[in-house]
Amino acid sequence: MDILFKIIICFLAGAGAGLGTGFAGMSAAGIISPLLLTFCGVPAYQAIGIGLASDVLASAVSAWTYKKHGNLDIKNALVLLACVLSMTFVGSYVASLLPDHTMGYMSQIGLLVIGIKFLVKPGRKAGKFENESKKKRIIKSIIGGIFVGFICGFVGAGGGMMLLFVLTTFLGYEMHMAVGTSVFIMAFTALIGGASHFYIGGMPDVLCLVACVIFTLIWARIAAVIANKAPEKVLCRIAGVIMVCTSVIVLFFNFAPMWKH
């Protein structure tokens, strides 16, 4: 395949993934893996590995940016993080047993549903999680972490969007704090998920890997800086628009070949 074409696809994928990470705490794999699968012929399992690898630095720099603005809750995220990390490898292994397209379809449909949720209900009251008992917070964090960790390893994309959904809806975080905490956790889960994908599925296309990592990092930093200056409802709507547009575009390209037959 032409090298320039690959770089262009990686740039578009990295830009979309970076914006999704910085604005909405999404996993880069949600955008990168379907585009690499559709246009570059990268196997789905390896494409998700590239997306997760791209997510490591992008999420880390986004988390650092949110922390600078006081929008990162590390203390209450520790239990959630431990559960997510412990389940990521399990999800990654299960994903390796399924057909390529299964993971892509499931992640994009989930992304569409959650994106619509943020558009319809663009904000919620903060402080719900902090006002609950310590025991209840721990139980909810364990349940949410197990669910998110498995999804992260299973479809890559699900980790970021499901984590944001759990933080805002299940645990009651306001949007800025939820995104900051989400990207903090995703930096670790992406590292574990990406490593397990490469260990199980082998080394992916090096050009796609390097290009996606660089482009995603650049755009994630830009998005995170802008997001921290945006009002709560505006950030929710931006996140919703990114999720809906991403899922619709990717699903279109995935299903388009089927309509021709």
Side-chain angles (χ1 to χ4, degrees):
M1 180 177 291
D2 184 72
I3 294 179
L4 179 60
F5 179 76
K6 273 190 176 182
I7 293 177
I8 292 174
I9 295 300
C10 289
F11 172 78
L12 295 174
L19 291 174
T21 299
F23 278 122
M26 289 169 52
S27 168
I31 299 174
I32 290 177
S33 57
L35 292 181
L36 294 183
L37 171 64
T38 303
F39 296 103
C40 298
V42 178
Y45 195 73
Q46 291 188 7
I48 290 176
I50 293 175
L52 289 170
S54 302
D55 207 11
V56 177
L57 292 179
S59 291
V61 74
S62 296
W64 175 74
T65 303
Y66 276 88
K67 185 178 185 301
K68 284 178 59 180
H69 291 81
N71 292 317
L72 174 55
D73 181 11
I74 298 178
K75 182 179 179 180
N76 286 331
L78 292 179
V79 175
L80 185 64
L81 173 60
C83 294
V84 170
L85 289 177
S86 65
M87 289 299 295
T88 297
F89 185 81
V90 176
S92 179
Y93 175 74
V94 174
S96 69
L97 305 177
L98 298 177
D100 279 354
H101 290 288
T102 301
M103 294 176 282
Y105 294 154
M106 291 178 63
S107 64
Q108 295 311 314
I109 292 174
L111 189 64
L112 177 62
V113 172
I114 295 176
I116 293 174
K117 182 266 179 187
F118 283 122
L119 287 174
V120 174
K121 295 183 178 180
R124 62 183 291 114
K125 295 181 180 180
K128 177 183 175 182
F129 188 59
E130 290 77 4
N131 293 331
E132 293 177 341
S133 66
K134 183 178 180 180
K135 181 179 180 180
K136 189 173 183 179
R137 291 200 305 266
I138 292 176
I139 293 175
K140 291 178 71 172
S141 294
I142 291 174
I143 295 173
I146 291 174
F147 175 69
V148 171
F150 181 82
I151 292 297
C152 177
F154 185 62
V155 297
M161 66 183 182
M162 289 299 177
L163 182 56
L164 187 63
F165 180 77
V166 167
L167 287 170
T168 55
T169 302
F170 190 53
L171 299 181
Y173 280 56
E174 60 91 18
M175 190 62 171
H176 288 86
M177 189 68 73
V179 175
T181 304
S182 174
V183 291
F184 170 76
I185 295 176
M186 283 306 299
F188 294 95
T189 59
L191 178 62
I192 300 299
S196 63
H197 271 69
F198 294 157
Y199 177 77
I200 296 172
M203 191 65 183
D205 186 303
V206 177
L207 174 60
C208 290
L209 174 62
V210 174
C212 286
V213 168
I214 293 175
F215 292 136
T216 304
L217 174 62
I218 293 173
W219 284 100
R221 168 60 177 167
I222 294 173
V225 171
I226 298 174
N228 276 278
K229 299 178 181 179
E232 167 82 0
K233 289 188 177 182
V234 172
L235 182 58
C236 286
R237 289 195 172 102
I238 291 175
V241 169
I242 291 175
M243 291 180 181
V244 171
C245 289
T246 299
S247 60
V248 169
I249 291 173
V250 173
L251 285 172
F252 173 79
F253 282 114
N254 280 336
F255 283 106
M258 300 181 184
W259 297 338
K260 296 179 181 180
H261 296 289

